[in-house]
């Protein structure tokens, strides 16, 4: 396979209201006019009200096109197609083993680390097939945050600096990296809490702070797409809320894809939701529609807690 | 019949012996379990006692017989113990083989562990490597020593030892250090592998997920994270090296003094030459050895023991330091 060389597709940081950007104006959200949608009728399970207003604009950044992923003979994801847009949060939901994490990991080719994994169909980032992008470059444009907070066993500062430096080099000095490190921490909403202890070991932070450090780390690479794999499942409710607020804030700058087991969470922060079941994409719709008036029987059963 | 299947209610705990808090008392255990526990306790205490006895005995003997002059004067021939000097050559020789051995074993051990844990493909080759290292760990060092004499007597490796008229002597610090590195290698590999394996998979992936290569991840994340295990392996390996006798006796030239190669530049003349170590000195000075001067054997053994105890203390400190950095919640 040939890589697009010399690749460095410049990182396209798109402004949502950029005249050049083909922004899509979303249909107005049904609700009470404040942008807060009414609690969907007909679903007894979802009671939390949407915390955020719906986005006004969004740009298509990634395109999952008829993608199937198999581990050996076992197909984990079957013919899934969906768009990923900057300006909104896409949430993948579904019972355990439905392939949502596999799909997420395929977006930055992390699935390739498993030797038995194979992918059919195509995933495009800004209309370039990601298989033509050199993996390390792709993974700087599409970064990921994991279920377990996993800062590297070094100082808070070094955790971010590691991402900013060229591969294994130590070339860039701390002074030069300082602005970029601070900016990443600020975007992750962690700067105020750690600015006096940047030399502190990162693993001594609280779980929620660690996870925000991981988000800061992922943002430091200046990605275009941010993948989150159940980022709050190991955290307490308070830290979860802080991170949810953060995710919503980030959606204007990066396309956000979040896998979650927590339906309320999906409802609170997602703009679009994809429900997967046994590898199939059962339903892809706006959060309000999917939770309020699901088209498919299986979706209705799942969101009302019938299975999974 | 029916009465036998009914379990007897556990006997009421004896007054005054009630377990407190979370500590589970053994008062209610079955007799066999209690005997087992008692044996465990007894054996533990027995081995503590043996270790303490060895250390205390050697400390007393060592302090009685050790004179500072022994550390600074080399062994020499003589009829009286007062004429035979000390073991400074042996002390320096121990440091030299330790340095040489670890210089080879540490990088090799780290490289092998990284390959086994992080790459390990083809899987068959990885399995073979694993069993090979286990096999080396199991080979008695005297066998390694014999094998070493064959290798290092070959003409191709003449530059590592003394040779006269085309006959390669094959005994030198280089030869002993190289074979001793094989003694340390399995310990280093085991320790570093354990360290690498204890790093959760998602930590590696977090590094890959920000565009880092496997090499960069290994160098900047994985190896720094297992620094305590690397250090532990190195220190354990050092302990084995300075404690080994067989390889020294066979491959370092059965002498009590340095025998540098004439004509070679400074460090090389000693490294290519023969010499001795503390273990060799203790062996020779013990009542069964050629020197038969047990008092000096005790003194040298005491120095050796102090070195090993210091190494053990270092391992302890490393582990305590490592705990301060914290680790991932699983």
């Amino acid at each position: 396979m040939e890589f697009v060389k010399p690749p460095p597709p410049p990182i396209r940081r798109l402004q949502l209201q950029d005249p050049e950007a083909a922004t899509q104006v979303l249909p107005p959200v049904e609700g009470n006019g404040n942008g807060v949608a009414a609690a969907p009728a007909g679903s007894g399970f979802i009671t939390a009200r949407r915390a955020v207003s719906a986005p006004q604009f969004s740009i298509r950044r990634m395109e999952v096109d008829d993608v199937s992923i198999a581990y050996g003979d076992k197909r984990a994801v079957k013919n899934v197609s969906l768009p990923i847009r900057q300006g909104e949060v896409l949430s993948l939901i579904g019972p355990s083993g439905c392939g949502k994490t596999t799909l997420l990991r395929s977006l930055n080719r992390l699935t390739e680390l498993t030797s038995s994994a194979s992918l059919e169909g195509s995933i495009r980032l800004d209309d370039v097939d990601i298989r033509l992008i050199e993996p390390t470059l792709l993974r700087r444009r599409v970064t990921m945050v994991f279920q377990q907070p996993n800062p590297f066993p070094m100082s808070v500062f070094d955790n971010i600096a590691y991402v900013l430096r060229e591969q294994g080099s130590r070339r860039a000095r701390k002074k030069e990296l300082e602005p970029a490190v601070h900016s990443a921490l600020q975007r992750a909403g962690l700067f105020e809490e750690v600015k006096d202890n940047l030399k502190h070991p990162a693993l001594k932070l609280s779980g929620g702070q660690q996870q925000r450090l991981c988000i800061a780390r992922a943002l430091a690479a200046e990605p275009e797409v941010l993948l989150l794999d159940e980022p709050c499942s190991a955290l307490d409710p308070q830290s979860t809320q802080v991170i949810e607020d953060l995710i919503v804030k980030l959606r204007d700058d990066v396309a956000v894809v979040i896998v979650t087991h927590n339906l309320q969470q999906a409802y609170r922060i997602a703009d679009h939701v994809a429900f997967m079941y046994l590898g199939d994409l059962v339903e892809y719709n706006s959060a309000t529609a999917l939770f309020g008036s699901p088209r498919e029987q299986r979706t209705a059963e799942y969101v009302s807690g019938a299975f999974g | 019949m029916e009465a036998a299947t009914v379990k007897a209610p556990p006997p009421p705990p004896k007054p005054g012996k009630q377990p407190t808090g979370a500590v589970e008392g053994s008062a209610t255990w079955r007799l066999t379990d209690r005997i087992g526990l008692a044996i465990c306790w007894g054996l533990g205490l027995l081995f503590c006692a043996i270790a303490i006895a060895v250390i205390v005995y050697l400390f007393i003997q060592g302090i009685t017989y050790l004179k500072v002059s022994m550390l600074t004067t080399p062994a020499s021939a003589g009829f009286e113990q007062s004429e035979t000097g000390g073991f400074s050559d042996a002390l320096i020789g121990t440091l030299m083989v330790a340095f040489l051995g670890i210089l080879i074993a540490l990088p090799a051990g780290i490289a092998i562990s990284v390959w086994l844990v992080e790459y390990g493909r083809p899987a068959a080759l990885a399995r073979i490597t694993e069993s090979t290292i286990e096999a080396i760990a199991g080979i008695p060092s005297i066998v390694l020593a014999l094998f070493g004499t064959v290798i290092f007597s070959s003409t191709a490796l003449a530059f590592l030892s003394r040779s006269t008229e085309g006959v390669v002597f094959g005994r030198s610090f280089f030869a002993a250090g190289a074979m001793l590195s094989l003694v340390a290698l399995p310990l280093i590999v085991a320790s570093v592998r354990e360290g690498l394996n204890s790093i959760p998979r998602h930590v590696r992936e977090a590094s890959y997920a920000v565009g880092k290569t496997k090499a960069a991840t290994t160098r900047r994340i994985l190896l720094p994270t297992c620094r305590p295990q690397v250090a532990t392996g190195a220190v354990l390996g050092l302990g084995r090296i300075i404690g080994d006798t067989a390889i020294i006796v066979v491959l370092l030239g059965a002498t009590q003094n340095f025998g540098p190669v004439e004509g070679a530049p400074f460090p090389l003349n000693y490294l290519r030459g023969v010499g001795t170590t503390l273990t060799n000195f203790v062996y020779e000075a013990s009542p069964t050895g050629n020197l038969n001067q047990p008092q000096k054997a005790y003194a040298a053994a005491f120095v050796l023991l102090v070195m090993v105890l210091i190494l053990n203390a270092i391992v302890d400190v490393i582990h305590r330091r490592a705990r301060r950095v914290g680790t991932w919640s699983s």
Side-chain angles (χ1 to χ4, degrees):
Chain A
M1 178 166 300
E2 246 182 63
F3 293 130
V4 175
K5 279 248 170 175
I11 291 176
R12 290 173 59 203
R13 303 211 48 86
L14 298 183
Q15 290 299 310
L16 278 186
Q17 267 99 350
D18 193 310
E20 285 176 47
T23 57
Q24 172 202 11
V25 180
L26 297 176
V29 181
E30 308 146 40
N32 54 15
N34 299 334
V36 177
S43 112
F45 184 62
I46 305 291
T47 51
R49 297 176 70 84
R50 296 218 45 192
V52 292
S53 56
Q56 294 304 305
F57 300 98
S58 66
I59 314 169
R60 180 169 292 201
R61 297 305 297 270
M62 278 187 110
E63 181 77 44
V64 177
D65 190 3
D66 198 25
V67 162
S68 302
I69 304 163
Y71 293 112
D73 294 332
K74 194 178 159 286
R75 287 176 82 200
V77 174
K78 299 168 194 160
N79 305 91
V80 170
S81 301
L82 48 80
I84 294 164
R85 300 196 190 92
Q86 180 182 336
E88 60 173 50
V89 175
L90 168 66
S91 177
L92 304 178
I93 61 169
S96 300
C98 70
K100 55 194 191 305
T101 296
T102 300
L103 179 62
L104 188 82
R105 289 163 59 89
S106 70
L107 295 179
N108 66 353
R109 294 176 64 179
L110 270 186
T111 35
E112 289 172 18
L113 298 176
T114 315
S115 53
S116 63
S118 60
L119 184 140
E120 281 166 39
S122 79
I123 301 173
R124 289 186 297 275
L125 172 60
D126 287 342
D127 294 326
V128 178
D129 193 310
I130 60 168
R131 276 170 295 188
L132 300 179
I133 307 175
E134 204 270 323
T136 61
L137 237 129
L138 173 71
R139 289 178 193 148
R140 291 188 74 81
R141 299 174 68 191
V142 183
T143 57
M144 181 155 170
V145 174
F146 295 77
Q147 185 170 4
Q148 291 293 335
N150 51 10
F152 301 130
M154 41 175 101
S155 74
V156 173
F157 187 98
D158 288 339
N159 260 275
I160 313 282
Y162 171 70
V163 177
L164 297 168
R165 289 179 175 132
E166 187 73 25
Q167 290 304 344
S169 120
R170 286 201 242 233
R171 200 80 55 69
R173 302 205 164 273
K174 292 207 167 182
K175 266 271 176 294
E176 301 167 38
L177 294 175
E178 216 164 51
V181 171
H182 289 187
S183 135
L185 288 170
Q186 266 154 359
R187 275 177 285 159
L190 189 63
F191 186 65
E192 287 306 314
E193 289 161 58
V194 300
K195 61 181 175 189
D196 299 324
N197 315 315
L198 287 176
K199 287 183 184 154
H200 214 66
L203 281 163
K204 292 287 171 179
L205 297 174
S206 75
Q209 287 175 326
Q210 287 189 18
Q211 196 59 305
R212 274 181 288 151
L213 179 63
C214 293
I215 295 178
R217 200 169 62 187
L219 292 175
E222 300 289 339
E224 295 149 74
V225 181
L226 179 64
L227 310 175
L228 301 134
D229 185 7
E230 300 181 38
C232 301
S233 64
L235 303 181
D236 60 275
Q238 230 172 352
S239 312
T240 301
Q241 165 139 36
V242 173
I243 289 184
E244 285 180 5
D245 293 345
L246 174 64
I247 290 170
V248 172
K249 242 180 259 165
L250 289 172
R251 70 179 179 189
D252 286 339
D253 297 318
V254 291
V256 180
V257 186
I258 178 171
V259 162
T260 181
H261 267 303
N262 183 333
L263 294 177
Q264 272 104 337
Q265 181 174 56
Y267 185 62
R268 282 193 299 266
I269 63 173
D271 301 299
H272 273 89
V273 178
F275 169 59
M276 293 181 69
Y277 185 64
L278 298 178
D280 291 312
L281 176 62
V282 176
E283 187 165 349
Y284 169 82
N285 213 334
S286 76
T288 344
L290 189 131
F291 286 114
S293 48
R295 281 193 302 260
E296 300 279 333
Q297 179 64 23
R298 278 181 294 178
T299 317
E301 281 170 7
Y302 183 68
V303 298
S304 61
F307 66 96
Chain B
M1 269 315 272
E2 208 159 294
T5 54
V6 175
K7 269 190 196 160
K14 285 171 195 159
K17 276 202 156 185
Q18 294 227 0
T20 50
V23 182
E24 185 194 342
S26 58
T28 56
W29 291 12
R30 279 169 27 193
L31 182 64
T32 44
D33 290 350
R34 277 153 74 181
I35 292 172
L37 182 66
I39 291 173
C40 292
W41 264 93
L43 286 176
L45 289 176
L46 178 67
F47 283 106
C48 280
I50 292 174
I52 290 171
V54 170
I55 291 171
V56 167
Y57 181 70
L58 268 173
F59 262 68
I60 293 170
Q61 296 286 344
I63 289 168
T64 315
Y65 297 125
L66 182 66
K67 296 188 186 69
V68 180
S69 62
M70 290 181 188
L71 301 176
T72 53
T73 46
S76 54
F79 291 107
E80 301 278 323
Q81 285 219 19
S82 58
E83 296 169 1
T84 52
F87 42 81
S88 68
D89 282 2
L91 182 60
I92 297 167
T94 293
L95 298 179
M96 281 166 66
V97 291
F99 178 76
L100 277 177
I102 217 69
L103 195 70
I104 302 168
L106 192 59
I110 292 173
I112 291 170
S113 323
V114 166
W115 182 75
L116 279 176
V117 179
E118 301 303 317
Y119 297 87
R121 250 177 281 165
L125 186 59
R127 261 200 309 279
I128 292 170
T129 311
E130 247 168 74
S131 359
T132 310
I133 288 168
E134 273 160 28
I136 290 176
I139 295 175
S141 63
I142 188 81
V143 177
L144 286 178
L146 273 179
F147 183 62
T149 57
V150 177
I151 295 179
F152 290 99
S153 301
S154 65
T155 336
L157 295 177
F159 64 98
L160 291 177
S161 67
R162 185 201 307 268
S163 54
T164 35
E165 293 164 12
V167 178
V168 182
F169 189 46
R171 290 159 182 79
S172 71
F173 275 101
F174 276 132
M179 291 325 276
L180 282 169
S181 72
L182 287 180
V183 172
L185 191 75
L187 291 167
I188 294 173
V189 170
S191 186
V192 177
R193 277 183 72 189
E194 187 200 316
L196 288 171
N197 280 324
S198 71
I199 301 173
R201 199 181 130 97
H202 59 85
V203 173
R204 293 173 174 81
E205 289 182 343
S207 178
Y208 304 146
V210 291
K212 296 289 182 175
T213 57
K214 217 165 191 173
T217 306
T218 305
R219 248 182 85 200
R220 291 283 170 251
I221 306 293
L222 303 182
L223 286 181
T225 304
C226 20
R227 210 175 284 145
Q229 286 87 350
V230 171
T232 304
V235 172
L236 291 176
L238 274 176
R240 278 284 278 276
I241 290 177
I242 66 174
D244 194 275
T245 317
I247 289 176
I248 301 298
V249 169
V250 175
L251 274 179
L252 204 49
T255 161
Q256 286 309 325
N257 293 99
F258 283 124
V261 173
E262 276 155 40
F266 162 59
L268 286 180
N269 57 352
Y270 281 96
L271 294 174
R272 286 176 59 185
V274 296
T276 181
T277 67
L278 286 173
T279 49
N280 187 31
F281 182 84
V282 173
Y283 166 66
E284 292 286 9
S286 70
T288 48
N290 295 325
L291 309 178
N292 191 9
Q293 35 186 0
Q295 298 183 353
K296 282 181 186 166
Y298 277 123
F302 170 68
V303 174
L304 196 59
L305 184 69
V306 168
M307 289 171 79
V308 172
L309 288 180
I310 289 173
L311 288 179
N312 283 355
I314 291 173
V315 173
D316 246 34
V317 172
I318 293 166
H319 276 249
R320 217 161 295 160
R321 286 253 173 91
R323 235 168 284 154
R324 241 180 276 158
V325 187
T327 186
W328 300 274
S329 51
S330 50

